[in-house]
Amino acid sequence: ISEAQGEGNRLLLGWTSLPGGRYWIEATEAPGGKWAIIAEVEADGPTAAAEIEIGGGNRFFRLVAE
């Protein structure tokens, strides 16, 4: 992830991608917890981005590529 900008309860994540690549943002409440997909992105160029709601409390995020 090369960019992360937050405003209120929203977070914009950006990353280097492959055109046509499929990516998922996953979240969990604890490092050992179950990961859930919260955003799906199909890249159409060399970079991709997703805006997600971060809500309250602690959450951990990861980017997964197909």
Side-chain angles (χ1 to χ4, degrees), residues 32-44:
K34 182 178 178 181
W35 292 93
I37 296 171
I38 60 169
E40 298 181 37
V41 175
E42 184 169 338
D44 59 1

Side-chain angles (χ1 to χ4, degrees), residues 2-62:
S2 58
E3 177 183 9
Q5 296 180 4
E7 184 175 326
N9 68 339
R10 308 293 296 172
L11 179 64
L12 175 66
L13 300 174
W15 61 92
T16 302
S17 63
L18 296 173
R22 294 179 58 195
Y23 301 88
W24 294 268
I25 303 289
E26 296 182 340
T28 185
E29 293 181 1
K34 182 178 178 181
W35 292 93
I37 296 171
I38 60 169
E40 298 181 37
V41 175
E42 184 169 338
D44 59 1
T47 61
E51 186 175 351
I52 58 173
E53 186 173 324
I54 55 176
N58 292 329
R59 290 178 64 185
F60 298 85
F61 302 98
R62 69 181 180 187

